[in-house]
Amino acid sequence: IGASRLMEAPDFEARLKIVGDRSDEIAEDCRDALKEPVHELIEDRAILVRQAVNAFIDGHHEAAQALAVVVCDSYLKTHFDGLGYTKMREKLTLDQSDDAALWTVFRYDMPMATAVRFLVDWKSHKHPVPSNFSRHVTIHGASTAQLNSLHATLAIMLAATMTRALDAILEPGGNAPETVASGGK
């Protein structure tokens, strides 16, 4: 979809509407983004992301969302080994410093930062189920309200984005930041 339409949208809800309206195009874009070979360390999970995208295209949105979320969670648990979800959110939140090289910012930091909202904290026994897309609610609060076409679109977008970001830093010459090698920033 046109990035300019999303950037020109007045607020988050308007951006979600655009994503929902263009979900079929987004799924095809995700499929195209995943056609290229990926680094062997993420190849198996990339296969699962492709299967999630295919499930979405075939109309199995709930299955696509569940599979994409599981893969995203696996990526995060592998590449931020030993960190809890709160610490992951902190590590993925972009800071305002000029310390990082632009390549790393655009190819890894910014794409991976899209997982911050995915990692929203929710204590099922203390708070009502949030309606927004999240890892925690998808896994621990599965319902038709949470597993839906819009959230599935967001899930496959995130999974494809994480796949390409991790591949970019794992490839030779990718200048993998220490965050991936050491599991932290």
Side-chain angles (χ1 to χ4, degrees):
I1 64 173
S4 62
R5 282 192 65 209
L6 286 173
M7 292 188 307
E8 292 169 359
D11 56 28
F12 183 72
E13 291 302 318
R15 287 188 293 278
L16 282 180
K17 170 108 174 73
I18 293 168
V19 168
D21 290 347
R22 308 287 293 268
S23 62
D24 291 339
E25 292 171 62
I26 291 168
E28 290 297 336
D29 288 346
C30 289
R31 179 187 273 176
D32 290 344
L34 296 165
K35 283 182 180 176
E36 297 177 29
V38 296
H39 192 279
E40 64 186 20
L41 290 176
I42 60 169
E43 186 175 30
D44 189 61
R45 290 184 179 148
I47 290 168
L48 294 174
V49 175
R50 285 184 202 105
Q51 290 173 343
V53 171
N54 288 335
F56 183 94
I57 290 169
D58 291 343
H60 306 289
H61 300 143
E62 299 86 352
Q65 180 179 338
L67 181 55
V69 166
V70 169
V71 173
C72 290
D73 189 64
S74 297
Y75 277 150
L76 292 168
K77 282 300 198 179
T78 299
H79 295 284
F80 291 98
D81 187 33
L83 293 181
Y85 295 108
T86 300
K87 285 288 184 197
M88 282 183 212
R89 271 195 318 274
E90 290 171 10
K91 298 282 185 194
L92 290 169
T93 299
L94 295 175
D95 62 23
Q96 300 301 314
S97 72
D98 294 325
D99 296 339
L102 284 179
W103 188 97
T104 303
V105 169
F106 288 118
R107 296 293 301 238
Y108 179 76
D109 292 335
M110 290 178 76
M112 293 300 287
T114 60
V116 171
R117 288 183 67 99
F118 172 72
L119 293 171
V120 67
D121 194 24
W122 170 64
K123 305 289 186 221
S124 60
H125 60 281
K126 295 182 181 178
H127 304 287
V129 177
S131 61
N132 57 306
F133 168 64
S134 81
R135 172 219 156 269
H136 202 147
V137 179
T138 297
I139 293 173
H140 301 291
S143 69
T144 55
Q146 182 58 216
L147 294 157
N148 60 55
S149 177
L150 176 61
H151 291 177
T153 304
L154 296 171
I156 64 172
M157 286 171 62
L158 179 61
T161 297
M162 291 176 79
T163 300
R164 295 305 343 161
L166 291 167
D167 182 59
I169 61 164
L170 290 168
E171 283 302 314
N175 300 325
E178 289 300 311
T179 54
V180 173
S182 68
K185 249 184 182 171

